[in-house]
Amino acid sequence: MRSIQRRLSLGLISVMVIVGLVLAQTSLWLFEMGLQRYLESGLRNDSENLLVALVRGPGGLQLDEQRLSPAYQRPFSGHYFRIDFSDNHWRSRSLWDQELPQLPQAGLQGNLQLGPEGQQLLILRSDYKRFGQAISISVAQDYTPVRESFRLMRQVGLVLGLAALLLILLLQRVTVRRALRPLETAREQIAQLQQGQRSQLDTQVPVELEPLVAQINHLLAHTEDSLKRSRNALGNLGHALKTPLAVLLSVASSEQLKDQPQLAKLLREQLQQVQQRLNRELNRARLAGETLPGALFDCDSELPGLLATLNMIHGEHLDLSYHVRPGLQLPWDREDLLELLGNLLDNACKWADAEVRVSIDEAPHCFELRVEDDGPGIPEAQRSQVFSRGTRLDEQTDGHGLGLGIVRDIVEVWGGTLQLHESELGGLKVLIELPRRQV
């Protein structure tokens, strides 16, 4: 999609060019028409002077050349006349051996006529009666210099118009950038929202942006409220189920089922799995806490609490440690990473003998997350099976049965890769590479 700046520039150029051409052509046309009217007045005076120069002589009408303008005596001077009467006509010496075109009717000729040496002539014909004779006097003036001046004016006007257009475009660009600066500020604030550095956008914005900012803030408040309600509902559901589960476990261990040991064992196992899953989800909800929407994962503040919670769940005999650069923040949602790391560490703690280690390093184009344990590991031929939801390689080990399927789904959404290797600790090493992204 083209930028707003480019669209505005193209629109402004189109409008300015069309309006400029129309105004320029109209102005030049009006100016030329006014100039022709002015020149027509001068030609009419010349025509009347020629009429006065016609006198009665011994042989009839004569032209008193003493009364003529010197321009009519100089060859190709640009001023010409022709006098038609009876079956004869006179012409000015300035025409030399050329003829002045005779107009079909009186008045100013709208179309320029071609004169001596290719000159463009503006011709006026006037009809009179002098000494009882019908006389037609045509006077002409060279219009070529005027046309050259108009051509020069068009060139100068074009250059000035282009310069003005460039200046207007530059000013428009500066104006649009200043006008769109609040949008850039809003973008930066949205990035801060994603980083968890603020909970809402500033409301001190231009009037045009107020509805957008208000709608975004309303959406943020609604999303945060929905998250709180979901978390509270999960907690309420968990606490509501604890009592029925405890009753069912008590029934499964009661004397009433001593005659059916296999059924009692099956009930106890299934109820214990439900209880473990319920406790795990409640712990995860408690770990998420009250966080801003989109808050980033701060390793220094999140990992100690996560490991401490897992120690409480799986027993303090495990040595859980982490190795990350101080101050490292991962550019992904805090709760998503709690889900990812919680799942990995929970599986590692379930299989580990004594030690679980998590490491997070920065590479040039990605972040590397490693979770290792000292458990029995997974044979290479069976590693692909653990990515299936609900798959468990050892049915004797307690667990929720989801395997690494959830982790794989999260990593794929983020465009990363997940690999299983043998750990230096002797067990399994889960290696995740997440590509960097802009926030």
Side-chain angles (χ1 to χ4, degrees):
M1 182 179 292
R2 294 184 299 179
S3 67
I4 296 177
Q5 175 69 56
R6 183 175 298 179
R7 289 185 177 184
L8 291 176
S9 298
L10 291 177
L12 181 62
I13 289 174
S14 302
V15 172
M16 292 292 294
V17 168
I18 294 174
V19 173
L21 288 176
V22 171
L23 289 178
Q25 288 298 114
T26 303
S27 301
L28 287 175
W29 179 77
L30 292 175
F31 183 74
E32 186 172 11
M33 294 299 296
L35 180 60
Q36 288 186 4
R37 297 285 83 80
Y38 174 76
L39 295 177
E40 179 185 359
S41 176
L43 291 175
R44 196 171 299 279
N45 288 333
D46 291 345
S47 178
E48 292 174 355
N49 290 334
L50 287 171
L51 180 64
V52 173
L54 291 175
V55 297
R56 191 189 299 275
L61 283 178
Q62 292 183 351
L63 184 61
D64 186 359
E65 295 187 358
Q66 298 296 325
R67 300 184 180 184
L68 298 180
S69 171
Y72 293 126
Q73 307 294 333
R74 190 170 63 253
F76 308 131
S77 63
H79 293 271
Y80 313 101
F81 71 80
R82 172 180 174 144
I83 301 176
D84 293 280
F85 59 96
S86 298
D87 294 331
N88 196 11
H89 73 275
W90 295 332
R91 57 187 176 83
S92 64
R93 293 182 180 179
S94 57
L95 285 170
W96 200 246
D97 57 351
Q98 302 286 329
E99 287 290 342
L100 186 67
Q102 185 179 10
L103 301 183
Q105 59 185 9
L108 184 69
Q109 177 65 33
N111 296 324
L112 300 177
Q113 300 294 321
L114 191 62
E117 296 187 332
Q119 295 172 334
Q120 292 179 308
L121 301 180
L122 187 66
I123 304 177
L124 174 69
R125 172 182 169 178
S126 302
D127 295 336
Y128 305 99
K129 288 196 88 174
R130 182 74 168 170
F131 304 122
Q133 294 189 41
I135 300 175
S136 176
I137 301 178
S138 298
V139 291
Q141 181 175 341
D142 185 9
Y143 201 71
T144 305
V146 177
R147 279 295 173 89
E148 290 295 324
S149 297
F150 274 112
R151 186 177 63 83
L152 181 61
M153 287 177 60
R154 285 192 179 95
Q155 293 176 350
V156 173
L158 179 61
V159 173
L160 292 178
L162 289 176
L165 182 61
L166 291 176
L167 179 60
I168 292 174
L169 285 175
L170 179 62
L171 294 177
Q172 180 247 10
R173 194 175 197 79
V174 173
T175 303
V176 169
R177 284 187 176 180
R178 294 187 62 183
L180 295 180
R181 192 172 298 166
L183 288 176
E184 177 62 21
T185 302
R187 187 199 66 78
E188 293 174 354
Q189 292 181 5
I190 291 174
Q192 292 173 358
L193 277 172
Q194 188 178 4
Q195 297 171 6
Q197 298 176 3
R198 59 169 56 237
S199 59
Q200 284 192 329
L201 302 182
D202 291 340
T203 56
Q204 299 299 322
V205 294
V207 177
E208 293 79 4
L209 292 182
E210 285 181 354
L212 176 63
V213 170
Q215 192 64 35
I216 291 176
N217 285 337
H218 176 73
L219 178 62
L220 289 171
H222 177 72
T223 301
E224 188 173 6
D225 185 58
S226 298
L227 288 173
K228 288 181 180 179
R229 289 200 304 269
S230 299
R231 192 176 295 117
N232 291 335
L234 178 61
N236 294 336
L237 176 63
H239 290 296
L241 291 176
K242 276 187 175 181
T243 299
L245 279 175
V247 172
L248 290 174
L249 283 171
S250 176
V251 171
S253 303
S254 66
E255 295 293 328
Q256 300 174 5
L257 295 178
K258 65 179 181 179
D259 296 333
Q260 302 183 28
Q262 292 183 349
L263 177 61
K265 180 181 179 182
L266 178 62
L267 286 174
R268 284 196 302 271
E269 289 178 352
Q270 297 301 318
L271 289 173
Q272 286 173 357
Q273 290 184 21
V274 172
Q275 189 176 46
Q276 289 173 2
R277 178 61 186 273
L278 178 62
N279 290 334
R280 182 175 179 277
E281 295 301 329
L282 289 176
N283 287 331
R284 183 179 302 164
R286 181 174 61 82
L287 280 173
E290 300 296 329
T291 181
L292 295 175
L296 299 188
F297 188 86
D298 187 337
C299 296
D300 289 341
S301 60
E302 303 294 348
L303 286 177
L306 178 60
L307 297 183
T309 302
L310 289 167
N311 254 329
M312 292 173 57
I313 296 174
H314 294 280
E316 298 186 358
H317 68 283
L318 290 177
D319 178 18
L320 276 65
S321 62
Y322 68 92
H323 301 277
V324 297
R325 175 180 61 80
L328 178 63
Q329 284 190 331
L330 300 182
W332 288 278
D333 184 79
R334 171 182 178 268
E335 295 190 31
D336 289 342
L337 272 171
L338 282 174
E339 175 81 9
L340 184 146
L341 289 175
N343 223 315
L344 289 177
L345 289 170
D346 180 60
N347 280 286
C349 292
K350 183 174 62 176
W351 295 98
D353 293 329
E355 184 178 0
V356 174
R357 182 170 63 198
V358 56
S359 304
I360 303 177
D361 295 322
E362 292 182 86
H365 303 291
C366 66
F367 288 90
E368 294 182 354
L369 285 69
R370 292 183 297 276
V371 175
E372 305 175 67
D373 63 71
D374 61 350
I378 301 177
E380 185 174 357
Q382 298 179 338
R383 289 173 186 171
S384 60
Q385 299 179 27
V386 299
F387 291 116
S388 301
R389 278 187 187 273
T391 297
R392 291 166 55 189
L393 299 182
D394 186 357
E395 295 292 339
Q396 302 302 316
T397 304
D398 293 336
H400 49 73
L402 292 180
L404 297 176
I406 294 177
V407 175
R408 181 199 57 188
D409 293 343
I410 295 175
V411 172
E412 287 181 353
V413 168
W414 291 344
T417 60
L418 187 152
Q419 301 174 11
L420 301 181
H421 301 283
E422 184 176 350
S423 170
E424 296 177 358
L425 301 178
L428 181 69
K429 177 172 72 173
V430 181
L431 173 62
I432 296 177
E433 294 184 354
L434 299 176
R436 290 180 178 271
R437 66 178 185 177
Q438 299 295 325
V439 294

